[in-house]
Amino acid sequence: MKIPSSIWTLLIGILLTLVSLWYGQNHGLLPTAATDEADLVDGLFNTMMVVSTGIFLLVEGILIYSAFKYRRRPGDNSDGPPVEGNIPLEILWTAIPAIIVIGISVYSFDVYNEMGGFNPHAVHEAPIMQQSMKMPGAAIAATLNDTPPSTEPNLNQQKSDEAMQDPATAAVRNADQIPQKRNAPGVGIVAPTIGPVPGKEGKPPAMVVNVTGMQYAFIFTYPETGVTSGELHVPIGREVQLNMSANDVIHAFWVPEFRLKQDIIPGRQSEIRFTPKKEGDYDLICAELCGPYHGAMRTQVIVEKQEAFDNWVQEQLVASAETLNQAVAVNTEDISPDKFLAPYTKDMGIQPEILHQIHH
Amino acid sequence: MTQAQLQETANTPALNEEPGIRKWQDYFGFNTDHKVIGIQYLVTTFIFYCMGGVMADLVRTELRTPETDFVTPEVYNSLFTLHATIMIFLWIVPAGAGFANYLIPLMIGAKDMAFPRLNAVAFWMIPPAGILLISSLVVGDAPDAGWTSYPPLSLVTGQVGEGIWIMSVLLLGTSSILGAINFLVTLLKMRIPGMGFNQMPLFCWAMFATSALTLVSTPVLAAGLILLSFDLIAGTTFFNPTGGGDPVVYQHMFWFYSHPAVYIMILPFFGAISEVIPVHSRKPVFGYKAIAYSSLAISFLGLIVWAHHMFTSGIPGWLRMFFMITTMIIAVPTGIKIFSWLATMWGGKIRLTTAMLFAMGFVGTFVIGGISGVMLAAVPFDIHVHDTYFVVAHLHYVLFGGSVLGIYSAIYHWFPKMTGRMINEFWGKVHFTLTIVGLNMAFLPMHKLGMMGMNRRVAQYDPKFTTLNEICTYGAYILAISTFPFIINAIWSWMYGPKAGNNPWDALTLEWMTTSPPAIENFDKLPVLATGPYDYGLEKAKEDVPLDDPNPVLSGGPNSVLRAEPDPKVAANPEDRK
């Protein structure tokens, strides 16, 4: 029995859709989702994976089918039918990808908004009015020397000052050596930010941690408790805000299980907020090339229950007191684990006690 | 010296009156024939490709194990920096220019490029720039800040190496600007009368779009690099944060060129594939105008997508959204091309020659890179995979699965025209099989590596990624091995291969209407178009171009779209037109 081609097309279409839907949910390409934000990203990725699988199978299917079905038979030197175009078909395959990408854009927009990427709070803080608008005509005639220094607040400087209130942060950051970049007027905040999720704008985060990036370590300081650490400990279910800045070159904060990444740029204050939801030890990886030992710049993020976190804070406070006492009599042989860090941090005004504390 | 002798010396042209290839030595000197320059480009860039490939395999050997046990981390960083710089600036971009040099004048019926000496100058910037770059390995201070060379890292690593890198890339950028000017003027001014833009072969359209893009974007890279060299050498602080400079501004300037560079690297081969597929499918290309105009669309949109490389650095949220949408939209013209190629093959009489296999491989692997490109445009997902092996996988599917397969397809397709001899098909297919296997083995697992948490540009990684990395490494070795059948086949066939005849593929574009290899100045008489470039299967084309004539005669003869008597209304020189 000869089956009409429209039936074949329908059957293949259904099969293609089913396979795509199945693979989009079962690809196993992503690690555990450990924050609220990660679930949103995974939903977006799975959707894109369904569409992608469909397109991939369609293109490869047509290619392989053509290679067998339309192969030139030996002795056949004729040409194929001179089909030069088909306007409805061309419109169709322009419209379908266009609709798909617009759909994915809207979905991504929504996910990004849910993650707090827009942070409307920060936009309100940014000065909207430009200098030249206040002084019509004057700016045109002014030379570089005549331009008065801007009177608008430098948000990066304010944030940096805020972080430096904490003595532990001030000890590891060489903020005095790197001037803070101004935010560009009128375009919102330029310091890279993933801010509070909608509904939490304007509210302070449950917990703040200051992060300093340097070749080749992350240093975490907890302003509320004064703890300094080389690992990031966060309790489950509380929104955490990281205030990040780099001492030397660009680094990036990346925890694959959190699906979050943010560059840490010298002279700027990056912010990132997230709510951890799943207990565990996760790798924190520097994702921006920062020198030969870039691959070694990694540490742990430990998401734990509130009690465990409180215990850890207590331990740290005790340990840091002990370390400071020992520091006077420390033997130079003991610093061997830090040996590749030392030459890079000496010039930055970082005290050896802090380095020592981090690696023990 | 007498006055007469002086006069005579002054009148002797500095260059040969009739530049062109007479003997093999001509390929090693300054020559203004576009065909010689085209082959000089292709051979030189292929040599650099091999060097870049050796570096890639050294990088992969280091990554076979999680520890740094093969090279030191400093050397590792230099290796991937040089690998990327060589592959982009010394292989794919100039290889596209090589094909354009060889093919454009032939395809539009011109005797040479518009500015033959400028053309030679553009080529002769490449070998010194390449040697300069590679010499940095010898002086022991190779650049190691990645091919992106982001400050402040590039300012604190080795100064000599970084300076050499900047100088070399500036030279190569200059060369590509000179080339682009030449292609544009040639395409605009030197088409034979009767060939409007809509009668041009699609490769010419692609080069038109590429050259326009090069002219707009490359000077911005040059500006960025010059400012970077001031920071590096003169101690200014344009990008150096310690003096108040802004490293993110460098990223904007760098990517304003370097994202369009991806289209500069892929568009010429979109063009080449659009030539290969209709010839070997024996069908007119489906949707000529759609393919031609989508090149222009890609060229324009390519200019407004750069900031998607910076979603995780300092740009405001609304700007991330703008660049997400523009980046996604570029998938539409690319999709138009892919579906048009598939429709060209559909119902044809496909000759599975090596050129056609590479073209089909191009479509099949490029689509993977295209899909992952759309994923990377989605800001929330990009934030997760930015600077990971997912990006490495994506860019290799685009640049290897796309550009390099495109280059191979073009070489196999035009080899008979360039050398006058056929290339061995069996060894071509061996080459193709090894390449496809190696390519997918090397780059497919990288998608998973990146999403699971392996960052790029690292010499040491988490041991849980060992197995996938081993697969990638063995894939890279297969890719290295795959070039040997090609190299030996190309050299042997060039010397001893069977004679090709003028038009072994029965193609209809103008370059096949002259001898193989073409004579100096290409055509004996001014060609006149009798058919469109892709009129396969049309009765008209069969009448005008008796392709099965066993004894083809050069232009003006029966085997040609060129009529013996030029039409006086369409004379070559504009001033001759009445």
Side-chain angles (χ1 to χ4, degrees):
Chain A
M1 190 183 77
K2 180 148 171 56
I3 300 166
S5 65
S6 54
I7 303 280
W8 271 120
T9 315
L10 186 70
L11 284 176
I12 291 169
I14 292 171
L15 187 70
L16 202 70
T17 314
L18 289 177
V19 170
S20 307
L21 281 169
W22 179 83
Y23 188 71
Q25 314 298 322
N26 296 284
H27 49 73
L29 290 172
L30 286 163
T32 332
T35 55
D36 295 346
E37 288 79 3
D39 288 333
L40 297 167
V41 177
D42 289 4
L44 172 67
F45 177 71
N46 291 345
T47 310
M48 291 197 294
M49 204 61 198
V50 170
V51 177
S52 304
T53 311
I55 293 174
F56 172 77
L57 291 177
L58 184 73
V59 172
E60 306 295 337
I62 295 177
L63 266 181
I64 292 167
Y65 180 79
S66 304
F68 285 98
K69 174 82 198 254
Y70 300 118
R71 197 160 35 126
R72 185 185 73 92
R73 308 290 161 213
D76 179 3
N77 286 324
S78 62
D79 288 354
V83 185
E84 288 188 341
N86 181 335
I87 298 295
L89 194 59
E90 288 172 48
I91 290 173
L92 184 75
W93 70 47
T94 308
I96 290 175
I99 292 166
I100 289 174
V101 296
I102 290 168
I104 293 176
S105 295
V106 171
Y107 188 8
S108 306
F109 185 92
D110 186 50
V111 167
Y112 192 56
N113 192 30
E114 290 287 308
M115 288 167 68
F118 285 109
N119 190 12
H121 180 60
V123 175
H124 291 154
E125 283 177 357
I128 303 296
M129 183 95 80
Q130 291 186 14
Q131 202 72 26
S132 58
M133 293 161 78
K134 291 179 192 158
M135 311 183 293
I140 298 164
T143 64
L144 274 177
N145 290 337
D146 295 340
T147 312
S150 172
T151 49
E152 283 145 8
N154 183 348
L155 289 176
N156 266 317
Q157 190 63 53
Q158 286 173 8
K159 285 182 180 165
S160 173
D161 292 345
E162 230 167 81
M164 298 295 269
Q165 296 289 313
D166 172 33
T169 307
V172 288
R173 277 200 192 169
N174 60 347
D176 52 326
Q177 285 180 21
I178 299 176
Q180 293 298 311
K181 253 345 264 176
R182 272 187 172 278
N183 292 307
V187 293
I189 193 154
V190 173
T193 300
I194 292 180
V197 298
K200 290 188 180 171
E201 302 100 337
K203 292 182 194 161
M207 195 172 99
V208 172
V209 183
N210 292 334
V211 183
T212 306
M214 62 178 70
Q215 286 174 321
Y216 299 96
F218 295 100
I219 294 172
F220 303 94
T221 47
Y222 292 72
E224 290 157 30
T225 50
V227 169
T228 302
S229 166
E231 293 179 335
L232 180 62
H233 284 246
V234 285
I236 292 184
R238 281 171 72 188
E239 196 187 27
V240 183
Q241 174 171 328
L242 304 182
N243 293 328
M244 309 188 285
S245 192
N247 274 353
D248 36 39
V249 299
I250 302 174
H251 301 277
F253 173 95
W254 182 38
V255 183
E257 285 80 4
F258 291 2
R259 314 282 189 277
L260 288 176
K261 185 181 287 116
Q262 183 64 70
D263 284 7
I264 311 177
I265 300 172
R268 289 183 188 225
Q269 304 297 312
S270 326
E271 268 175 41
I272 190 166
R273 284 201 197 192
F274 56 88
T275 312
K277 63 160 193 181
K278 201 169 176 189
E279 218 173 326
D281 293 6
Y282 306 109
D283 283 335
L284 164 57
I285 299 163
C286 173
E288 185 66 58
L289 177 64
C290 60
Y293 296 92
H294 168 53
M297 184 167 168
R298 49 170 61 234
T299 180
Q300 296 284 304
V301 179
I302 292 138
V303 179
E304 54 200 357
K305 294 210 176 71
Q306 185 69 45
E307 309 88 74
F309 176 72
D310 292 340
N311 286 342
W312 175 77
V313 170
Q314 287 308 317
E315 278 170 28
Q316 289 299 302
L317 287 172
V318 174
S320 71
E322 280 174 6
T323 317
L324 281 173
N325 292 338
Q326 286 169 0
V328 184
V330 74
N331 185 337
T332 46
E333 295 297 315
D334 279 355
I335 62 164
S336 59
D338 323 348
K339 69 178 181 220
F340 76 81
L341 272 182
Y344 298 95
T345 49
K346 203 190 290 170
D347 298 337
M348 297 165 191
I350 294 160
Q351 269 106 51
E353 298 87 68
I354 289 155
L355 264 186
H356 186 69
Q357 186 186 351
I358 288 156
H359 285 266
H360 287 273
Chain B
M1 202 178 270
T2 65
Q3 184 69 28
Q5 276 172 321
L6 272 176
Q7 201 78 42
E8 200 171 301
T9 324
N11 284 341
T12 312
L15 292 164
N16 193 339
E17 279 280 271
E18 281 186 49
I21 183 69
R22 288 194 171 69
K23 49 194 183 310
W24 63 270
Q25 291 93 329
D26 290 350
Y27 285 110
F28 294 86
F30 191 87
N31 199 309
T32 56
D33 185 344
H34 72 98
K35 298 181 289 295
V36 176
I37 295 173
I39 287 173
Q40 283 175 331
Y41 260 104
L42 289 173
V43 173
T44 313
T45 54
F46 191 82
I47 293 169
F48 284 119
Y49 170 56
C50 294
M51 293 183 188
V54 168
M55 288 173 193
D57 276 348
L58 294 177
V59 163
R60 280 310 326 171
T61 306
E62 168 59 60
L63 288 172
R64 203 169 62 81
T65 55
E67 303 83 31
T68 41
D69 44 11
F70 180 66
V71 289
T72 64
E74 287 85 357
V75 172
Y76 176 84
N77 284 12
S78 299
L79 283 174
F80 71 68
T81 301
L82 285 175
H83 160 71
T85 311
I86 288 172
M87 290 306 196
I88 290 166
F89 293 106
L90 285 161
W91 161 234
I92 300 179
V93 172
F99 283 113
N101 262 309
Y102 196 94
L103 293 172
I104 285 178
L106 284 166
M107 281 180 162
I108 62 173
K111 287 181 173 178
D112 205 319
M113 298 288 286
F115 310 114
R117 288 177 205 192
L118 186 73
N119 205 18
V121 170
F123 167 72
W124 282 105
M125 286 186 173
I126 290 173
I131 293 165
L132 181 67
L133 185 70
I134 289 160
S135 72
S136 66
L137 272 177
V138 183
V139 300
D141 184 24
D144 60 352
W147 82 279
T148 53
S149 211
Y150 277 6
L153 180 67
S154 55
L155 301 172
V156 298
T157 53
Q159 253 199 342
V160 179
E162 196 57 33
I164 288 177
W165 182 86
I166 291 173
M167 192 51 72
S168 165
V169 174
L170 277 177
L171 263 177
L172 294 165
T174 311
S175 158
S176 77
I177 291 174
L178 297 183
I181 293 171
N182 217 342
F183 301 142
L184 278 180
V185 176
T186 308
L187 285 170
L188 284 170
K189 291 288 174 193
M190 300 189 54
R191 280 170 287 127
I192 46 167
M195 183 188 273
F197 260 64
N198 283 336
Q199 282 83 44
M200 264 188 341
L202 287 166
F203 180 77
C204 297
W205 271 102
M207 281 317 299
F208 186 77
T210 311
S211 306
L213 192 56
T214 309
L215 275 192
V216 177
S217 60
T218 318
V220 181
L221 175 74
L225 291 183
I226 289 168
L227 293 182
L228 186 68
S229 69
F230 285 166
D231 276 10
L232 189 76
I233 297 161
T236 54
T237 56
F238 292 108
F239 306 128
N240 194 345
T242 52
D246 193 348
V248 179
V249 170
Y250 173 83
Q251 298 183 10
H252 278 291
M253 296 181 90
F254 179 81
W255 287 113
F256 188 82
Y257 165 77
S258 294
H259 196 84
V262 176
Y263 306 109
I264 294 171
M265 287 186 269
I266 196 74
L267 274 172
F269 307 106
F270 281 168
I273 294 301
S274 306
E275 299 296 325
V276 173
I277 288 180
V279 173
H280 296 272
S281 303
R282 309 310 302 161
K283 270 184 69 200
V285 69
F286 190 95
Y288 171 91
K289 284 188 179 166
I291 295 185
Y293 300 161
S294 64
S295 291
L296 294 185
I298 290 172
S299 167
F300 172 72
L301 289 170
L303 286 169
I304 47 170
V305 304
W306 79 90
H308 70 244
H309 292 271
M310 301 161 61
F311 285 159
T312 65
S313 62
I315 57 168
W318 65 268
L319 205 56
R320 299 189 204 194
M321 290 302 115
F322 172 78
F323 281 103
M324 171 171 82
I325 291 161
T326 53
T327 307
M328 290 226 179
I329 290 292
I330 210 162
V332 175
T334 315
I336 291 174
K337 281 182 192 287
I338 288 181
F339 288 117
S340 297
W341 292 325
L342 292 177
T344 308
M345 278 183 252
W346 191 264
K349 311 256 181 180
I350 300 176
R351 295 185 301 209
L352 291 176
T353 55
T354 312
M356 186 62 184
L357 286 175
F358 269 107
M360 291 170 83
F362 174 102
V363 178
T365 50
F366 177 79
V367 76
I368 300 176
I371 288 171
S372 56
V374 173
M375 291 180 171
L376 284 170
V379 173
F381 181 67
D382 178 76
I383 286 176
H384 174 50
V385 293
H386 175 73
D387 264 332
T388 68
Y389 265 82
F390 188 88
V391 175
V392 178
H394 159 74
L395 77 93
H396 281 96
Y397 265 96
V398 173
L399 294 183
F400 199 107
S403 304
V404 177
L405 293 192
I407 292 172
Y408 280 135
S409 175
I411 291 175
Y412 281 100
H413 182 69
W414 280 292
F415 191 87
K417 182 50 65 182
M418 292 179 178
T419 63
R421 291 176 188 271
M422 298 303 286
I423 194 162
N424 184 294
E425 284 288 321
F426 173 77
W427 288 106
K429 282 168 188 166
V430 170
H431 173 212
F432 170 75
T433 313
L434 286 173
T435 309
I436 287 291
V437 170
L439 151 68
N440 286 295
M441 241 176 99
F443 304 127
L444 197 63
M446 289 183 183
H447 290 105
K448 181 163 171 115
L449 278 174
M451 281 195 269
M452 295 302 285
M454 182 162 161
N455 46 346
R456 69 193 285 203
R457 297 171 169 164
V458 290
Q460 63 263 65
Y461 55 85
D462 195 320
K464 69 184 172 196
F465 299 130
T466 312
T467 315
L468 287 176
N469 272 298
E470 274 179 351
I471 297 174
C472 295
T473 303
Y474 297 131
Y477 293 160
I478 294 177
L479 277 184
I481 293 166
S482 78
T483 49
F484 289 105
F486 169 71
I487 295 170
I488 295 164
N489 188 3
I491 295 173
W492 192 89
S493 300
W494 198 334
M495 293 192 294
Y496 311 109
K499 290 260 194 278
N502 294 346
N503 192 357
W505 312 125
D506 293 345
L508 289 179
T509 39
L510 270 185
E511 79 271 23
W512 298 101
M513 304 304 158
T514 180
T515 46
S516 300
I520 292 163
E521 301 206 327
N522 303 343
F523 301 97
D524 277 3
K525 292 201 171 69
L526 182 72
V528 176
L529 279 188
T531 68
Y534 310 106
D535 289 348
Y536 303 104
L538 287 175
E539 286 305 315
K540 186 169 152 290
K542 280 184 196 152
E543 284 165 19
D544 291 344
V545 191
L547 289 168
D548 38 9
D549 189 331
N551 296 311
V553 188
L554 184 56
S555 58
N559 186 40
S560 173
V561 285
L562 325 171
R563 275 181 248 138
E565 295 299 321
D567 187 336
K569 278 179 283 187
V570 286
N573 298 317
E575 56 268 30
D576 294 342
R577 285 180 211 168
K578 291 287 175 301

